[in-house]
Amino acid sequence: MASSDVNRNKKYKIKAPMGDRIFDICNYTFMILLMVVTLYPFLNVLAVSLNSSQDSLKGGIYMLPRVWTLDNYQYIFKEATIFHATLISILRTVIGTGLTVICSAMVAYSISRQEFVLRKFITLAFILTMYFSGGLIPTFLLMRDLHLVGSFWVYIWPGLIGVFNLIIIRSFIENLPDSILESGKIDGAGEYRTFFSIVLPLTTPVLATVALFSGVSQWNSWFDVFLYNSSHIDLSTLQYELQKILQNSNTTAGTSGMDGMISGASGAQQNRVTPLSVRATMTIVASVPIIMVYPFLQKYFVKGMMVGGVKG
């Protein structure tokens, strides 16, 4: 009996309408092309970083190196300060991101409460800072008067609360059901208990998004190192060291002849690199750590989409 039902289902199998099949084909084709367009630039830069610099000058490097070598990475990591700078970058990214997320969430929760009298004034004051700035020199003088110049905390305190992140978190909190917060107050929870026990768990998706924004900004930042800590090697970051290497490679290549090569002696062997290969290698070194972090935050993005779908 069961076999006859299967045969009957195969015989009378319903085919999808022609319009649906055409849509699926177009959808799959578009997604494949989008994936290729997204991945190709990164794979091309990776191939150039792993290819011989002399051979890269000939062009024609696409997704695979033609002459494999690690000389470009040896040129980057030969600097003695590069590993200490990487540690400083990791510390400022972890500490800065953690403090930015928690402080932005606390301020966002405060200005999202209707019973807070100064919520509109404080919101306006924050928004004005997005359009008006004191300028570079007053900012430097302020950091100097606060004794932050030459300190690790100059990477943390000035950007502790980002207005854009603040608005995102506040909008998310305002869309939370009031009944959940009121139930906490009925049970005797104060503002701190409500925030840490109710609001923070519910806002995990948006906090993960803000954490990614802040983490990328902290990791890629180098100009503040140039302004405040350029004379303090022990506070230099990976991005600033890479920037110095790139500047040095461009300067050296400009005075090294028509081939644009940079000679770096390593024992009896000379590694010859070009600014093109240095830029490609720097891009890989700077971007891979952030790319590795994204999968750990992706589940929170998916959760946020599911919550939004249920609420809608």
Side-chain angles (χ1 to χ4, degrees), residues 93-205:
T93 301
V94 173
I95 298 175
T97 301
L99 291 178
T100 295
V101 169
I102 189 65
C103 292
S104 298
M106 294 178 71
V107 176
Y109 172 71
S110 299
I111 62 178
S112 67
R113 297 298 86 204
Q114 297 291 338
E115 60 270 18
F116 184 40
V117 179
L118 299 177
R119 58 188 300 267
K120 293 184 178 180
F121 173 77
I122 294 179
T123 302
L124 179 62
F126 274 111
I127 293 177
L128 288 178
T129 61
M130 300 179 65
Y131 300 97
F132 302 98
S133 173
L136 185 60
I137 295 179
T139 302
F140 178 83
L141 296 177
L142 176 62
M143 297 299 107
R144 185 196 62 182
D145 294 340
L146 293 175
H147 305 287
L148 292 177
V149 176
S151 169
F152 172 80
W153 296 105
V154 75
Y155 305 145
I156 309 299
W157 300 134
L160 190 62
I161 297 178
V163 180
F164 180 74
N165 298 334
L166 185 67
I167 294 175
I168 293 177
I169 301 175
R170 187 201 65 176
S171 300
F172 193 92
I173 295 177
E174 287 179 345
N175 289 327
L176 294 177
D178 293 333
S179 58
I180 298 179
L181 303 180
E182 292 176 357
S183 63
K185 294 181 179 179
I186 293 176
D187 293 337
E191 295 296 342
Y192 285 100
R193 181 66 181 274
T194 302
F195 174 75
F196 286 103
S197 299
I198 300 177
V199 175
L200 277 187
L202 293 176
T203 56
T204 300

